[in-house]
Short mmCIF file of all heavy atoms in Angstrom, two decimals:
data_model
loop_
_atom_site.label_atom_id
_atom_site.label_comp_id
_atom_site.label_asym_id
_atom_site.label_seq_id
_atom_site.Cartn_x
_atom_site.Cartn_y
_atom_site.Cartn_z
N GLU N 49 -9.02 66.09 21.07
CA GLU N 49 -9.20 66.97 22.17
C GLU N 49 -9.38 66.23 23.49
O GLU N 49 -8.85 66.68 24.51
CB GLU N 49 -10.46 67.85 21.97
CG GLU N 49 -10.26 68.87 20.78
CD GLU N 49 -11.56 69.49 20.36
OE1 GLU N 49 -12.60 69.35 21.09
OE2 GLU N 49 -11.59 70.19 19.29
N LYS N 50 -10.11 65.13 23.51
CA LYS N 50 -10.31 64.38 24.70
C LYS N 50 -9.03 63.80 25.19
O LYS N 50 -8.72 63.79 26.51
CB LYS N 50 -11.41 63.32 24.53
CG LYS N 50 -12.75 63.90 24.32
CD LYS N 50 -13.83 62.83 24.42
CE LYS N 50 -15.14 63.38 24.26
NZ LYS N 50 -15.69 64.11 25.42
N LEU N 51 -8.12 63.30 24.30
CA LEU N 51 -6.88 62.70 24.72
C LEU N 51 -6.03 63.79 25.34
O LEU N 51 -5.28 63.57 26.28
CB LEU N 51 -6.22 62.02 23.61
CG LEU N 51 -6.92 60.67 23.14
CD1 LEU N 51 -6.36 60.16 21.82
CD2 LEU N 51 -6.74 59.65 24.22
N ILE N 52 -5.95 64.94 24.68
CA ILE N 52 -5.17 66.03 25.27
C ILE N 52 -5.67 66.46 26.58
O ILE N 52 -4.86 66.77 27.46
CB ILE N 52 -5.14 67.24 24.25
CG1 ILE N 52 -4.37 66.86 22.93
CG2 ILE N 52 -4.57 68.51 24.81
CD1 ILE N 52 -4.46 67.83 21.82
N ALA N 53 -6.99 66.48 26.83
CA ALA N 53 -7.57 66.77 28.10
C ALA N 53 -7.04 65.81 29.19
O ALA N 53 -7.13 66.09 30.31
CB ALA N 53 -9.08 66.85 28.02
N HIS N 54 -6.74 64.66 28.74
CA HIS N 54 -6.30 63.53 29.64
C HIS N 54 -4.71 63.55 29.80
O HIS N 54 -4.14 62.62 30.29
CB HIS N 54 -6.80 62.17 29.11
CG HIS N 54 -8.20 61.94 29.63
ND1 HIS N 54 -9.29 62.18 28.81
CD2 HIS N 54 -8.69 61.42 30.73
CE1 HIS N 54 -10.35 61.91 29.46
NE2 HIS N 54 -9.99 61.35 30.68
N GLY N 55 -4.14 64.61 29.23
CA GLY N 55 -2.67 64.81 29.44
C GLY N 55 -1.70 64.34 28.29
O GLY N 55 -0.56 64.31 28.47
N VAL N 56 -2.32 63.87 27.18
CA VAL N 56 -1.47 63.45 26.12
C VAL N 56 -0.97 64.73 25.34
O VAL N 56 -1.76 65.64 25.17
CB VAL N 56 -2.25 62.50 25.12
CG1 VAL N 56 -1.38 62.13 23.99
CG2 VAL N 56 -2.76 61.26 25.84
N SER N 57 0.20 64.68 24.93
CA SER N 57 0.83 65.78 24.16
C SER N 57 0.10 65.84 22.82
O SER N 57 0.02 64.81 22.10
CB SER N 57 2.29 65.63 23.98
OG SER N 57 2.78 66.57 22.99
N GLY N 58 -0.29 67.03 22.39
CA GLY N 58 -0.87 67.19 21.06
C GLY N 58 0.05 66.84 19.91
O GLY N 58 -0.41 66.50 18.87
N ALA N 59 1.41 66.89 20.21
CA ALA N 59 2.43 66.60 19.23
C ALA N 59 2.41 65.11 18.90
O ALA N 59 2.84 64.68 17.87
CB ALA N 59 3.73 67.00 19.72
N GLN N 60 1.79 64.28 19.75
CA GLN N 60 1.70 62.79 19.53
C GLN N 60 0.55 62.47 18.65
O GLN N 60 0.49 61.23 18.24
CB GLN N 60 1.56 62.07 20.94
CG GLN N 60 2.76 62.06 21.70
CD GLN N 60 2.50 61.38 23.08
OE1 GLN N 60 2.31 62.01 24.06
NE2 GLN N 60 2.48 60.10 23.01
N ILE N 61 -0.43 63.30 18.37
CA ILE N 61 -1.67 62.94 17.71
C ILE N 61 -1.83 63.69 16.47
O ILE N 61 -1.77 64.87 16.36
CB ILE N 61 -2.85 63.21 18.69
CG1 ILE N 61 -2.64 62.60 20.06
CG2 ILE N 61 -4.13 62.73 18.01
CD1 ILE N 61 -3.58 63.14 21.06
N THR N 62 -2.07 62.86 15.39
CA THR N 62 -2.37 63.44 14.07
C THR N 62 -3.70 62.98 13.63
O THR N 62 -4.13 61.85 13.86
CB THR N 62 -1.36 62.97 13.02
OG1 THR N 62 -0.01 63.25 13.42
CG2 THR N 62 -1.57 63.57 11.60
#
Side-chain angles (χ1 to χ4, degrees):
E49 289 170 12
K50 290 192 180 285
L51 289 168
I52 290 171
H54 280 91
V56 178
S57 167
Q60 287 178 259
I61 308 167
T62 303

